[in-house]
Amino acid sequence: MSKLKTLAAAALVAAIAVHGARAEDADPVVAKVGGQEVRQSELTLALGGLDPQLQQMPEEQKRAAALSAIIDVKLLSKTAEKEGLQDDATFKQRVAYLTERELHNAYFKKHVVDAITKEEVKARYDKEIAAIPAQEEVKARHILVKTEDEAKEIIKELDAGKSFVELAKAKSTDPNKGDGGDLGYFTKGRMVPEFETAVFALDKGAYTKTPVKTQFGFHVILVEDKRPQAPPPLEQVEPQVRQLVMRDKYIELLAAAKKDAGVEISDPELKKAYDEANKAQEAQQAK
């Protein structure tokens, strides 16, 4: 029986040793400072806190910069402890604030960032798209010439049945003449006013019967298609929509916390500024 106990104890010790080795492998020691270990997990944290400019460096240079920062901190923090700076009231106050801020960030990550679902993002996307006023967009071509007489002559040729595309290639002075004057699809607000007024007044398949004068010269315009503008796909705007969902979740969490805890501000001017800032935030959320 004693042999069995001995074997069981040995197996337990071996299992603990293996587990410790695996934990060590998962978070290896990358350096030592005065006997104090620096592990990969600490290096990873330091990498996340590097200055944005340093983030552009090659990976090994970033790791070296992060390790250098850790070593500097550990060296001087030990000296600070010897001087008793950890007992300073201002230091304690700062540590308390930083602790609360990090708890806030951890809570935000858990209940806002990590709690967002695909369904919530899709629902908010649908809500935002539904709120966008429908816009018409047209697909048009144009022929640009220097004089009104040239434009009138082109209109006569179109009336005689000549191809708009071929006339654009042969006579337009615009750089897109090689594409037959193709302007693609566009909505209002994209073209100069004279051009926009003329193009949106045309029916699909029609061209201008009189030259359109703008700062660039004289245009003959053909509208090939008209349609409602398609909204951007969710994949294209998902980061922005996710930000809206995050904002709403965060504000809801804060509202509930304020209701439970209550907020009192003794300085009248500070209270006024705080209330105004919160009203502005609520108005923004309501949009």
Side-chain angles (χ1 to χ4, degrees):
M1 188 71 174
S2 60
K3 286 184 179 180
L4 288 175
K5 288 183 178 179
T6 301
L7 288 172
L12 179 60
V13 170
I16 293 172
V18 169
H19 177 75
R22 286 177 180 171
E24 178 86 11
D25 291 341
D27 192 14
V29 175
V30 297
K32 288 186 178 181
V33 183
Q36 188 177 5
E37 294 178 341
V38 178
R39 292 190 175 273
Q40 177 59 47
S41 56
E42 193 170 359
L43 184 62
T44 301
L45 284 173
L47 279 166
L50 284 179
D51 186 278
Q53 291 182 339
L54 297 179
Q55 296 287 0
Q56 308 304 317
M57 296 191 306
E59 189 62 28
E60 281 310 304
Q61 290 185 27
K62 284 196 298 184
R63 283 167 54 84
L67 180 59
S68 178
I70 293 173
I71 290 172
D72 292 351
V73 167
K74 288 188 179 297
L75 287 171
L76 291 188
S77 66
K78 284 297 180 184
T79 306
E81 284 181 358
K82 290 176 183 178
E83 292 186 6
L85 293 183
Q86 69 274 19
D87 298 322
D88 179 78
T90 302
F91 173 80
K92 288 182 176 180
Q93 185 181 46
R94 180 169 175 76
V95 168
Y97 169 75
L98 292 175
T99 299
E100 288 183 337
R101 190 178 69 178
E102 287 304 309
L103 282 170
H104 162 279
N105 293 345
Y107 192 84
F108 176 80
K109 184 177 185 303
K110 178 181 178 181
H111 293 282
V112 177
V113 179
D114 295 343
I116 294 175
T117 65
K118 291 182 179 179
E119 291 75 19
E120 286 176 314
V121 174
K122 178 63 166 61
R124 185 54 188 262
Y125 167 79
D126 291 340
K127 178 182 177 182
E128 292 296 319
I129 293 302
I132 298 175
Q135 285 197 73
E136 182 182 52
E137 61 179 4
V138 300
K139 185 178 187 297
R141 294 179 184 271
H142 81 134
I143 300 170
L144 175 65
V145 291
K146 292 182 179 180
T147 68
E148 185 175 11
D149 288 340
E150 289 177 281
K152 287 180 177 179
E153 186 59 35
I154 289 168
I155 292 170
K156 287 180 182 178
E157 294 184 74
L158 289 170
D159 290 341
K162 287 196 175 181
S163 164
F164 194 99
V165 172
E166 294 306 317
L167 285 171
K169 289 180 178 180
K171 299 188 176 185
S172 183
T173 61
D174 195 76
N176 71 348
K177 63 184 292 182
D179 296 325
D182 188 14
L183 296 170
Y185 283 96
F186 56 89
T187 56
K188 287 184 178 180
R190 299 284 301 278
M191 301 294 179
V192 293
E194 303 92 340
F195 192 100
E196 180 180 287
T197 300
V199 76
F200 279 94
L202 289 170
D203 292 329
K204 178 180 176 180
Y207 56 86
T208 50
K209 295 297 183 177
T210 57
V212 178
K213 183 181 180 182
T214 72
Q215 66 200 70
F216 305 106
F218 291 86
H219 306 258
V220 180
I221 308 167
L222 167 68
V223 170
E224 292 188 319
D225 191 24
K226 284 189 170 186
R227 69 185 185 186
Q229 185 184 35
L234 174 58
E235 295 75 18
Q236 183 179 325
V237 295
E238 185 173 356
Q240 295 92 322
V241 177
R242 185 173 288 273
Q243 286 290 329
L244 292 175
V245 177
M246 284 172 55
R247 182 195 69 182
D248 290 349
K249 278 183 172 291
Y250 182 59
I251 291 174
E252 288 173 7
L253 286 175
L254 283 179
K258 286 176 183 178
K259 184 177 180 181
D260 291 342
V263 177
E264 296 181 9
I265 302 173
S266 55
D267 185 319
E269 291 300 317
L270 186 58
K271 183 180 186 307
K272 179 181 177 183
Y274 177 84
D275 290 341
E276 288 175 352
N278 277 270
K279 285 180 182 177
Q281 188 179 59
E282 289 170 3
Q284 182 66 27
Q285 185 187 19
K287 289 183 179 179

